Amino acid sequence: MVMMSQVEKKPVVDIFPTKSNKTNFTGIPVIDLSRPEDAKNLIVNACQDYGFFKVINHGVSPLLVSELENEAVEFFNMRQYEKDQYCPPNPFGYGRNKIGTNGDVGWIEYLLLTSTNFPTNSKIFSSLTNEYVKEVRKLGCTILELMAEGLKIEPKNVLSRMLSDEKADTVFRLNHYPPCLDPNSNLNNKSMSHGRTSIGFGEHTDPQLISIARSNAASGFQIYLEDGTWVGVPPDETSYFINVDDLLEVMTNGRFRSVRHRVVADSFKSRVSMIYFGGPPLMEKISPLGSLMEPGEESLYNEFTWFEYKSCTYKTRLADNRLSLFHKHSHPVH
C-alpha cells in the first residue's frame, strides 16, 4: 500500500545538475511494510523517481526509540564544557558547527559513532544505541531484499548481505539542531545562510548504500527534486525515512537516484534526528549488478571499493558530486 504525504514545495536555492524535468511531484511515497507484495514494487518506483520514501509498520520498537531519544536529549542538554570533554570528532565522536574537515559548517551539534563500537557518556546510552542499531540494520536488510525482489534480481540477498556481513561498515549519527532565532547570525558565516534560510546541515548525498532516519516532531528536512525545487518533508516520529545512497545508485547503474537533501534549522523548535548509514565491508567491490544489466547495456561507472569511495568523501565538500569522479568519461553525469 502506498500513500502520498503532503509537502511544502519551495523554490530552488542551490542549483545542481538534474537528470530530467519531472514536475508532477505530489508527495512523499509512504510504503506499508506489512504488505510486502505491494511494497517491493512501490519501493522500486520511489527509488527511481525520488530516491526517497517513508516506511510504516517497520517493526522497530517505539519504546526503544523513545528511550534512545531521551538519552540523546539528555546528552545534548549537558553543559557545553562537559560535551566538549567527551570525544572530539576524528572523525567519530562529539562535534558541533563544523561538519568534516573541509570547511563545511552548520547550525548543529552531533554524535557520530562507528560500526563496531558505540561508546557514549553512559552505559545505558551505549546499550540502547547498540540495540537500536541492530534493529534498524534488520529493517535495512528487509528493505534491500524487497528492492531486489522488485527489481527481479537474484539472489534475494544480493544487496542485504552487505549490511548483514560482520564486517559491514555501519555509521550511526545523532544530530541536534538547536533553535536558530536569527538566520543571519549562523556562526557569522554567510555561506550558511540562504536568504532567510538557516542551514543546519548543508545539501549533500549520502555515500553509503542506504540511510534510515527518524526525528522528533520538528520540521527542517528537505529533499531536492529533479525539477529544481526543494521540498520540505513533514516530520513523523513514528515512521522511518529511507534515502537511496551513492553506492546503490552505482549498483543499479543509475536506475535508482541518490537523493540530495539538507536540513534547515527551525527558529523555535529543537530538532533531534537519528540516522543509520548502512555501508558494505570496506573492501567490497562496487559496480553495477550484472543480474540487473540489460543485454548490451554498458556500465556507467568504473569499479571501485567502498574504502576508495569512503576515502574520497573525506577529501570533498558536502555539496560535491563525488560520483562524477568514478563516472566513465563516455557517459558524462547529467
Side-chain angles (χ1 to χ4, degrees), residues 19-20 22 43-52 147 150-153 226 244-259 287-301 323 327:
K19 299 178 183 178
S20 70
K22 192 179 296 295
I43 286 173
V44 168
N45 292 339
C47 292
Q48 291 174 336
D49 291 342
Y50 309 116
F52 182 79
M147 284 182 188
L151 288 168
K152 297 180 173 58
I153 54 176
E226 292 183 338
V244 170
D245 293 353
D246 292 349
L247 299 189
L248 198 52
E249 179 168 328
V250 172
M251 296 184 76
T252 60
N253 207 33
R255 288 169 174 79
F256 287 0
R257 171 175 172 250
S258 183
V259 63
S287 63
L289 294 168
S291 57
L292 190 59
M293 303 283 277
E294 299 289 344
E297 181 179 351
E298 295 183 46
S299 169
L300 300 179
Y301 297 94
L323 279 181
H327 207 282

Side-chain angles (χ1 to χ4, degrees), residues 79-88 94:
R79 294 182 178 90
Q80 191 59 54
Y81 78 88
E82 294 176 309
K83 291 181 287 189
D84 289 338
Q85 293 175 352
Y86 167 65
C87 181
Y94 169 77

Side-chain angles (χ1 to χ4, degrees), residues 44-319:
V44 168
N45 292 339
C47 292
Q48 291 174 336
D49 291 342
Y50 309 116
F52 182 79
F53 55 95
K54 181 169 80 171
V55 295
I56 60 175
N57 292 319
H58 45 73
V60 179
S61 164
L63 178 60
L64 174 60
V65 171
S66 176
E67 290 178 342
L68 179 57
E69 185 176 273
N70 289 340
E71 289 291 327
V73 169
E74 284 190 21
F75 176 86
F76 290 124
N77 282 341
M78 291 195 305
R79 294 182 178 90
Q80 191 59 54
Y81 78 88
E82 294 176 309
K83 291 181 287 189
D84 289 338
Q85 293 175 352
Y86 167 65
C87 181
N90 188 29
F92 300 102
Y94 169 77
R96 65 186 179 112
N97 302 334
K98 293 182 179 180
I99 302 171
T101 59
N102 299 307
D104 290 298
V105 291
W107 192 261
I108 185 176
E109 61 177 341
Y110 62 87
L111 271 175
L112 189 62
L113 306 169
T114 82
S115 57
T116 56
N117 195 14
F118 301 109
T120 65
N121 62 318
S122 79
K123 290 184 178 180
I124 293 176
F125 196 179
S126 295
S127 175
L128 287 170
T129 301
N130 274 288
E131 186 178 352
Y132 178 83
V133 168
K134 289 178 182 177
E135 287 295 306
V136 180
R137 180 190 286 120
K138 186 191 304 181
L139 172 61
C141 288
T142 296
I143 291 170
L144 289 174
E145 289 181 2
L146 287 170
M147 284 182 188
E149 289 185 45
L151 288 168
K152 297 180 173 58
I153 54 176
E154 295 182 347
K156 178 181 176 180
N157 70 341
V158 65
L159 297 170
S160 65
R161 66 172 180 79
M162 291 182 278
L163 296 196
S164 59
D165 192 297
E166 62 179 11
K167 295 182 180 179
D169 185 32
T170 298
V171 173
F172 182 59
R173 186 178 189 108
L174 289 158
N175 290 334
H176 175 228
Y177 302 92
C180 182
L181 299 177
D182 181 3
N184 295 315
S185 68
N186 262 341
L187 307 176
N188 296 316
N189 189 323
K190 292 182 180 179
S191 68
M192 293 175 60
S193 184
H194 297 251
R196 298 183 62 81
T197 298
S198 183
I199 299 300
F201 206 111
E203 62 171 290
H204 63 288
T205 61
D206 294 334
Q208 290 88 353
L209 278 167
I210 189 174
S211 303
I212 303 174
R214 72 159 298 279
S215 72
N216 62 0
S219 62
F221 188 84
Q222 299 179 344
I223 63 171
Y224 187 81
L225 300 183
E226 292 183 338
D227 65 0
T229 55
W230 285 100
V231 168
V233 177
D236 182 347
E237 295 178 279
T238 65
S239 302
Y240 280 92
F241 294 92
I242 313 301
N243 291 357
V244 170
D245 293 353
D246 292 349
L247 299 189
L248 198 52
E249 179 168 328
V250 172
M251 296 184 76
T252 60
N253 207 33
R255 288 169 174 79
F256 287 0
R257 171 175 172 250
S258 183
V259 63
R260 182 157 288 256
H261 54 285
R262 69 182 184 183
V263 176
V264 175
D266 191 282
S267 298
F268 304 104
K269 290 183 179 180
S270 175
R271 187 174 195 271
V272 176
S273 60
M274 356 176 148
I275 310 99
Y276 164 88
F277 298 96
L282 288 174
M283 300 315 296
E284 182 78 29
K285 293 181 179 179
I286 305 298
S287 63
L289 294 168
S291 57
L292 190 59
M293 303 283 277
E294 299 289 344
E297 181 179 351
E298 295 183 46
S299 169
L300 300 179
Y301 297 94
N302 295 309
E303 184 180 89
F304 54 85
T305 65
W306 167 228
F307 175 80
E308 290 171 325
Y309 194 70
K310 185 176 183 179
S311 298
C312 175
T313 67
Y314 292 130
K315 301 173 184 176
T316 54
R317 298 290 298 271
L318 273 178

